[in-house]
Amino acid sequence: MYGYYILIGAIALVSWLVSRKLKSKFEQYSKIHLRNGMSGAEIAEKMLADNGIRDVKVISTPGMLTDHYNPSNKTVNLSEGVYNQRNASAAAVAAHECGHAVQHAQAYQWLGLRSKLVPIVNVTSSMSMWIVFGGLMLGAAAGFGIGYYVAVAGLVMMSFATIFSLVTLPVEYDASHRALAWLKNTNMLAPDEYAGAEDALKWAARTYLVAAIGSVATLAYWALQVFGGRR
Protein backbone atom coordinates (compact mmCIF):
# COMPACT_ATOMS: atom_id res chain seq x y z
CA MET A 1 0.00 0.00 0.00
CA TYR A 2 2.94 2.37 0.58
CA GLY A 3 3.69 2.26 -3.14
CA TYR A 4 0.11 3.23 -3.88
CA TYR A 5 0.25 6.20 -1.52
CA ILE A 6 3.51 7.36 -3.11
CA LEU A 7 1.96 7.04 -6.58
CA ILE A 8 -1.18 8.94 -5.60
CA GLY A 9 0.91 11.60 -3.87
CA ALA A 10 3.09 12.11 -6.94
CA ILE A 11 0.08 12.33 -9.26
CA ALA A 12 -1.67 14.74 -6.92
CA LEU A 13 1.41 16.95 -6.75
CA VAL A 14 1.82 17.14 -10.52
CA SER A 15 -1.90 17.76 -10.94
CA TRP A 16 -1.78 20.57 -8.38
CA LEU A 17 1.21 22.19 -10.08
CA VAL A 18 -0.45 22.07 -13.51
CA SER A 19 -3.76 23.37 -12.12
CA ARG A 20 -1.97 26.19 -10.34
CA LYS A 21 -0.15 27.11 -13.53
CA LEU A 22 -3.42 26.99 -15.46
CA LYS A 23 -5.11 29.37 -13.02
CA SER A 24 -2.17 31.78 -13.19
CA LYS A 25 -2.30 31.71 -16.99
CA PHE A 26 -6.01 32.47 -17.03
CA GLU A 27 -5.48 35.32 -14.57
CA GLN A 28 -2.64 36.65 -16.73
CA TYR A 29 -4.61 36.56 -19.96
CA SER A 30 -7.77 37.89 -18.33
CA LYS A 31 -5.89 41.19 -18.21
CA ILE A 32 -5.60 41.27 -22.01
CA HIS A 33 -8.83 43.03 -22.98
CA LEU A 34 -10.21 42.33 -26.43
CA ARG A 35 -10.05 45.14 -28.94
CA ASN A 36 -13.30 43.97 -30.53
CA GLY A 37 -15.11 44.46 -27.21
CA MET A 38 -16.95 41.13 -27.43
CA SER A 39 -17.84 39.12 -24.34
CA GLY A 40 -17.32 35.39 -24.01
CA ALA A 41 -21.02 34.82 -24.61
CA GLU A 42 -20.97 36.91 -27.79
CA ILE A 43 -17.91 35.08 -29.09
CA ALA A 44 -19.59 31.73 -28.40
CA GLU A 45 -22.75 32.76 -30.22
CA LYS A 46 -20.69 34.01 -33.18
CA MET A 47 -18.72 30.77 -33.44
CA LEU A 48 -21.89 28.69 -33.31
CA ALA A 49 -23.51 30.84 -36.00
CA ASP A 50 -20.42 30.67 -38.23
CA ASN A 51 -20.59 26.87 -38.03
CA GLY A 52 -24.28 26.82 -38.90
CA ILE A 53 -25.35 25.66 -35.44
CA ARG A 54 -28.75 27.14 -34.54
CA ASP A 55 -30.06 24.71 -31.91
CA VAL A 56 -27.44 25.26 -29.18
CA LYS A 57 -27.97 27.84 -26.43
CA VAL A 58 -25.21 29.75 -24.66
CA ILE A 59 -26.00 30.11 -20.97
CA SER A 60 -24.25 31.30 -17.81
CA THR A 61 -23.38 28.82 -15.04
CA PRO A 62 -22.16 29.60 -11.49
CA GLY A 63 -18.57 29.10 -10.38
CA MET A 64 -15.05 29.46 -11.76
CA LEU A 65 -13.72 27.19 -14.54
CA THR A 66 -17.07 25.37 -14.56
CA ASP A 67 -17.40 25.84 -18.32
CA HIS A 68 -18.66 22.85 -20.29
CA TYR A 69 -20.77 21.74 -23.22
CA ASN A 70 -23.79 19.58 -22.42
CA PRO A 71 -24.70 17.39 -25.41
CA SER A 72 -27.89 16.12 -23.77
CA ASN A 73 -29.64 19.51 -23.82
CA LYS A 74 -27.35 21.22 -26.33
CA THR A 75 -26.11 24.07 -24.16
CA VAL A 76 -22.75 25.80 -23.99
CA ASN A 77 -22.39 26.53 -20.27
CA LEU A 78 -19.99 29.38 -19.53
CA SER A 79 -18.90 30.36 -16.03
CA GLU A 80 -20.07 33.79 -14.96
CA GLY A 81 -16.65 35.35 -15.55
CA VAL A 82 -16.24 33.88 -19.03
CA TYR A 83 -19.82 34.66 -20.02
CA ASN A 84 -19.53 38.37 -19.19
CA GLN A 85 -15.85 39.22 -19.54
CA ARG A 86 -14.14 40.57 -22.63
CA ASN A 87 -10.60 39.27 -22.53
CA ALA A 88 -8.31 36.65 -24.08
CA SER A 89 -9.06 34.01 -21.43
CA ALA A 90 -12.81 34.36 -21.88
CA ALA A 91 -12.43 34.15 -25.65
CA ALA A 92 -10.34 30.99 -25.37
CA VAL A 93 -12.75 29.19 -23.06
CA ALA A 94 -15.87 30.25 -24.95
CA ALA A 95 -14.45 29.11 -28.28
CA HIS A 96 -13.20 25.84 -26.79
CA GLU A 97 -16.63 24.91 -25.44
CA CYS A 98 -18.17 25.78 -28.78
CA GLY A 99 -15.58 23.44 -30.29
CA HIS A 100 -17.39 20.63 -28.46
CA ALA A 101 -20.71 21.82 -29.89
CA VAL A 102 -19.19 21.65 -33.37
CA GLN A 103 -17.92 18.14 -32.62
CA HIS A 104 -21.42 17.12 -31.60
CA ALA A 105 -22.98 18.65 -34.70
CA GLN A 106 -20.49 16.84 -36.92
CA ALA A 107 -20.81 13.51 -35.05
CA TYR A 108 -17.17 13.50 -33.98
CA GLN A 109 -16.57 9.84 -33.09
CA TRP A 110 -14.44 10.38 -29.98
CA LEU A 111 -17.06 12.68 -28.43
CA GLY A 112 -19.72 10.07 -29.15
CA LEU A 113 -17.63 7.36 -27.50
CA ARG A 114 -16.99 9.52 -24.44
CA SER A 115 -20.70 10.25 -24.08
CA LYS A 116 -21.45 6.51 -24.15
CA LEU A 117 -18.86 5.87 -21.44
CA VAL A 118 -20.25 8.51 -19.05
CA PRO A 119 -23.08 6.39 -17.52
CA ILE A 120 -20.77 3.38 -17.19
CA VAL A 121 -18.03 5.38 -15.47
CA ASN A 122 -20.55 7.05 -13.16
CA VAL A 123 -21.48 3.62 -11.83
CA THR A 124 -18.08 1.89 -11.76
CA SER A 125 -15.60 4.61 -10.77
CA SER A 126 -16.68 4.96 -7.13
CA MET A 127 -16.53 1.26 -6.30
CA SER A 128 -13.85 -0.27 -8.55
CA MET A 129 -10.87 0.30 -6.23
CA TRP A 130 -12.75 -1.13 -3.24
CA ILE A 131 -13.66 -4.24 -5.21
CA VAL A 132 -10.02 -4.74 -6.23
CA PHE A 133 -8.90 -4.22 -2.65
CA GLY A 134 -11.55 -6.63 -1.39
CA GLY A 135 -10.39 -9.23 -3.90
CA LEU A 136 -6.81 -8.85 -2.70
CA MET A 137 -7.94 -9.33 0.90
CA LEU A 138 -9.62 -12.55 -0.20
CA GLY A 139 -6.38 -13.90 -1.63
CA ALA A 140 -6.20 -12.60 -5.20
CA ALA A 141 -2.47 -11.82 -4.92
CA ALA A 142 -1.80 -15.50 -4.31
CA GLY A 143 -3.70 -16.31 -7.48
CA PHE A 144 -6.42 -18.52 -6.06
CA GLY A 145 -10.10 -18.65 -5.15
CA ILE A 146 -12.92 -16.21 -5.52
CA GLY A 147 -10.72 -13.32 -4.42
CA TYR A 148 -8.85 -13.41 -7.72
CA TYR A 149 -12.04 -13.18 -9.78
CA VAL A 150 -13.39 -10.39 -7.58
CA ALA A 151 -10.18 -8.43 -8.05
CA VAL A 152 -10.21 -8.96 -11.82
CA ALA A 153 -13.81 -7.74 -11.93
CA GLY A 154 -12.69 -4.64 -10.06
CA LEU A 155 -9.87 -4.08 -12.56
CA VAL A 156 -12.31 -4.32 -15.45
CA MET A 157 -14.50 -1.72 -13.77
CA MET A 158 -11.47 0.48 -13.12
CA SER A 159 -10.40 0.18 -16.76
CA PHE A 160 -13.52 2.05 -17.90
CA ALA A 161 -12.35 5.17 -16.04
CA THR A 162 -8.94 4.82 -17.67
CA ILE A 163 -10.45 4.41 -21.12
CA PHE A 164 -12.62 7.45 -20.43
CA SER A 165 -9.55 9.51 -19.50
CA LEU A 166 -7.73 8.42 -22.66
CA VAL A 167 -10.72 9.09 -24.90
CA THR A 168 -11.06 12.54 -23.33
CA LEU A 169 -7.62 13.55 -24.66
CA PRO A 170 -8.49 13.66 -28.40
CA VAL A 171 -11.87 15.22 -27.56
CA GLU A 172 -10.29 18.10 -25.63
CA TYR A 173 -7.33 18.63 -27.95
CA ASP A 174 -9.59 18.62 -31.00
CA ALA A 175 -11.98 21.14 -29.40
CA SER A 176 -9.06 23.47 -28.72
CA HIS A 177 -7.79 23.01 -32.27
CA ARG A 178 -11.20 23.91 -33.68
CA ALA A 179 -11.43 26.92 -31.37
CA LEU A 180 -8.00 28.28 -32.27
CA ALA A 181 -8.53 27.68 -35.99
CA TRP A 182 -11.80 29.63 -35.90
CA LEU A 183 -10.33 32.47 -33.84
CA LYS A 184 -7.43 32.75 -36.29
CA ASN A 185 -9.34 32.33 -39.56
CA THR A 186 -11.96 34.90 -38.61
CA ASN A 187 -9.40 37.39 -37.29
CA MET A 188 -11.48 37.50 -34.14
CA LEU A 189 -8.45 38.32 -32.01
CA ALA A 190 -5.42 40.57 -32.37
CA PRO A 191 -2.05 38.73 -32.46
CA ASP A 192 -1.27 39.26 -28.75
CA GLU A 193 -4.82 38.24 -27.79
CA TYR A 194 -4.58 35.10 -29.92
CA ALA A 195 -1.22 34.16 -28.38
CA GLY A 196 -2.75 34.42 -24.92
CA ALA A 197 -5.76 32.32 -25.88
CA GLU A 198 -3.52 29.67 -27.44
CA ASP A 199 -1.28 29.43 -24.38
CA ALA A 200 -4.25 29.22 -22.01
CA LEU A 201 -5.78 26.34 -23.96
CA LYS A 202 -2.47 24.49 -24.05
CA TRP A 203 -2.30 24.54 -20.26
CA ALA A 204 -5.93 23.50 -20.00
CA ALA A 205 -5.18 20.48 -22.20
CA ARG A 206 -2.28 19.50 -19.93
CA THR A 207 -4.66 19.01 -17.01
CA TYR A 208 -6.40 16.27 -19.01
CA LEU A 209 -3.05 14.75 -19.95
CA VAL A 210 -2.00 14.54 -16.30
CA ALA A 211 -5.35 12.99 -15.39
CA ALA A 212 -4.96 10.36 -18.11
CA ILE A 213 -1.41 9.49 -17.04
CA GLY A 214 -2.57 9.22 -13.44
CA SER A 215 -5.45 6.93 -14.39
CA VAL A 216 -3.18 4.63 -16.42
CA ALA A 217 -0.61 4.53 -13.61
CA THR A 218 -3.25 3.68 -11.01
CA LEU A 219 -4.70 0.88 -13.14
CA ALA A 220 -1.22 -0.50 -13.79
CA TYR A 221 -0.39 -0.46 -10.08
CA TRP A 222 -3.48 -2.42 -9.06
CA ALA A 223 -3.08 -4.83 -11.98
CA LEU A 224 0.45 -5.54 -10.76
CA GLN A 225 -0.87 -6.25 -7.27
CA VAL A 226 -3.45 -8.68 -8.63
CA PHE A 227 -1.36 -10.49 -11.24
CA GLY A 228 2.10 -10.04 -9.75
CA GLY A 229 1.69 -12.79 -7.19
CA ARG A 230 0.48 -15.41 -9.65
CA ARG A 231 2.76 -18.21 -10.64
Side-chain angles (χ1 to χ4, degrees):
M1 288 297 293
Y2 289 113
Y4 177 69
Y5 291 136
I6 293 173
L7 173 64
I8 292 300
I11 294 171
L13 176 60
V14 174
S15 180
W16 177 77
L17 290 172
V18 173
S19 295
R20 183 179 179 184
K21 187 69 173 180
L22 173 63
K23 289 180 180 179
S24 70
K25 288 290 185 180
F26 272 90
E27 289 177 1
Q28 176 184 346
Y29 299 129
S30 66
K31 298 175 182 177
I32 301 178
H33 299 288
L34 300 185
R35 293 172 178 80
N36 62 22
M38 296 177 69
S39 66
E42 291 169 338
I43 287 175
E45 290 169 351
K46 179 75 165 87
M47 182 172 173
L48 292 174
D50 285 355
N51 282 276
I53 300 174
R54 311 292 180 186
D55 58 347
V56 173
K57 293 183 179 180
V58 179
I59 63 176
S60 178
T61 187
M64 179 181 180
L65 297 180
T66 52
D67 312 88
H68 64 281
Y69 171 67
N70 188 336
S72 63
N73 61 8
K74 292 189 175 182
T75 56
V76 171
N77 299 261
L78 301 180
S79 59
E80 294 169 344
V82 171
Y83 188 91
N84 296 305
Q85 290 184 11
R86 306 168 189 273
N87 55 55
S89 290
V93 174
H96 173 86
E97 298 308 331
C98 287
H100 289 308
V102 175
Q103 290 174 336
H104 191 195
Q106 297 180 357
Y108 182 60
Q109 60 180 353
W110 292 108
L111 179 65
L113 177 57
R114 186 173 74 168
S115 296
K116 291 177 181 177
L117 286 170
V118 168
I120 300 174
V121 173
N122 286 341
V123 173
T124 61
S125 61
S126 62
M127 64 180 74
S128 59
M129 190 185 76
W130 294 108
I131 293 176
V132 173
F133 188 69
L136 289 171
M137 294 293 290
L138 292 172
F144 62 80
I146 191 172
Y148 173 75
Y149 296 102
V150 170
V152 170
L155 287 175
V156 172
M157 295 172 69
M158 189 180 292
S159 69
F160 284 113
T162 301
I163 294 171
F164 181 84
S165 293
L166 294 174
V167 169
T168 293
L169 290 178
V171 173
E172 296 300 329
Y173 276 92
D174 179 76
S176 290
H177 175 75
R178 292 172 188 266
L180 292 170
W182 177 79
L183 290 170
K184 186 174 184 179
N185 293 337
T186 58
N187 295 313
M188 187 62 56
L189 305 181
D192 60 324
E193 298 165 355
Y194 179 85
E198 182 179 34
D199 193 36
L201 289 181
K202 283 181 179 179
W203 278 99
R206 286 166 186 162
T207 63
Y208 294 101
L209 178 60
V210 171
I213 293 173
S215 184
V216 170
T218 300
L219 179 63
Y221 174 84
W222 287 112
L224 183 62
Q225 302 310 304
V226 174
F227 300 119
R230 301 203 83 198
R231 295 294 185 269

